[in-house]
Amino acid sequence: MTEDVGLFGPDSVTWKLHQEPILMLGGLRSLYLQALHPRAVAGVAQNSGYRADPWGRLMRTSNYVGTVVYGSTAEVNAAAARLRRLHSRLSATDPRTGERFRVDEPDLLRWVHVAEVESFLSTAVDAGVRLTPAEVDGYYTEQRRAAELVGLDPATVPGTAAEVADYYAAMRPELALTRDSAETALFLTVPPVPPVPSSWGGRALRLGLNLGPPRWAYLGVASTAIALLPAWARQMYGGLGWPTTDLAARLSVRGLRALLAGVLATLPEQYRVAPMRRAALERAGLQPTGS
């Protein structure tokens, strides 16, 4: 008997898409995109401890997304309730008008949701994941369930590719590159090195991570995430909106996907599938297989 598989399940487009490790890059792309909304980025800058603990915040966000995608109904509902309680206590000041606002305003929640799910999907497609037009629309429709968890009326959330395009077109006049946007983008592009235990070499290792190959490799990943943004978003950051940039970004992200697949292929089978996905597959009575 199939057990509780949460919001989506093994036949969903969501499970098909989120098995792809390249969606980590989509998550980074979404942060650059979200930062172009002046109120959304102000809410993060004024409430979040991401500067003090960026890697911890990244892990918490990843765990929430993983729980929504793969958790049981009880796990999903518990995670969503915690997030709604957190948001309900937070407010921020609009740096342009001085107006105080709640971070759980529907317009802000909707922007963050759409930027995230569109980034996941477009990054996967650019990386070479094959989805039919019906599957693309199906993903957006399925993700309305995730939007409802944070307090949105699903009927107000774009549920197809055409609706997402229309939503972006309507939102563009409200977007701008603010000081918070620029500082957030710089932080995303050149983040601090995670803490290094003294037993690993301490200061010398931190210097190597800051100036050595890992730093340059990450800069390449961040540059790809920026290049994957819509042309109008790249232009807002001072970049180029040329079609050649789109082509270069697709080539880069496909190379990254192939590299990830090669690395995963060298790992023991039990490490090729994310723990949350493995647990969900087992609850569904399916055998986990490596991506």
Side-chain angles (χ1 to χ4, degrees), residues 47 95 108 115 119 135 162 166 188 210 217 235 271 273-274:
N47 287 284
L108 300 183
S119 289
E135 287 177 318
D166 290 343
L188 292 171
N210 267 307
Q235 290 171 331
Y271 299 118
V273 179

Side-chain angles (χ1 to χ4, degrees), residues 211-227:
L211 301 178
R215 171 66 76 188
W216 292 106
Y218 178 80
L219 283 173
V221 171
S223 298
T224 299
I226 295 172

Side-chain angles (χ1 to χ4, degrees), residues 112-181:
V112 171
H113 170 83
V114 175
E116 181 177 81
V117 299
E118 185 273 329
S119 289
F120 284 149
L121 189 141
S122 64
T123 298
V125 170
D126 284 340
V129 177
R130 295 185 179 181
L131 296 175
T132 66
E135 287 177 318
V136 169
D137 286 347
Y139 178 69
Y140 285 130
T141 300
E142 289 173 3
Q143 288 302 307
R144 282 177 161 170
R145 304 171 201 168
E148 187 174 14
L149 290 174
V150 300
L152 287 167
D153 177 355
T156 68
V157 177
T160 66
E163 290 176 1
V164 169
D166 290 343
Y167 172 78
Y168 276 160
M171 287 296 297
R172 284 177 61 182
E174 299 183 32
L175 306 180
L177 182 66
T178 64
R179 179 175 178 174
D180 285 334
S181 306

Side-chain angles (χ1 to χ4, degrees), residues 154-291:
T156 68
V157 177
T160 66
E163 290 176 1
V164 169
D166 290 343
Y167 172 78
Y168 276 160
M171 287 296 297
R172 284 177 61 182
E174 299 183 32
L175 306 180
L177 182 66
T178 64
R179 179 175 178 174
D180 285 334
S181 306
E183 290 180 350
T184 298
L186 178 61
F187 188 85
L188 292 171
T189 306
V190 192
V193 171
V196 177
S198 58
S199 59
W200 291 10
R203 186 175 301 176
L205 179 55
R206 283 186 62 83
L207 183 63
L209 291 173
N210 267 307
L211 301 178
R215 171 66 76 188
W216 292 106
Y218 178 80
L219 283 173
V221 171
S223 298
T224 299
I226 295 172
L228 287 169
L229 290 169
W232 52 264
R234 294 199 305 269
Q235 290 171 331
M236 292 179 71
Y237 276 120
L240 299 175
W242 294 347
T244 51
T245 304
D246 297 324
L247 176 59
R250 285 194 293 272
L251 292 174
S252 179
V253 73
R254 291 186 182 208
L256 284 172
R257 183 180 179 226
L259 177 62
L260 285 171
V263 170
L264 285 173
T266 67
L267 299 177
E269 191 278 333
Q270 65 266 31
Y271 299 118
R272 296 177 195 169
V273 179
M276 286 186 181
R277 177 174 171 81
R278 177 180 295 276
L281 287 168
E282 289 174 350
R283 288 199 309 275
L286 299 174
Q287 180 65 37
T289 56
S291 299

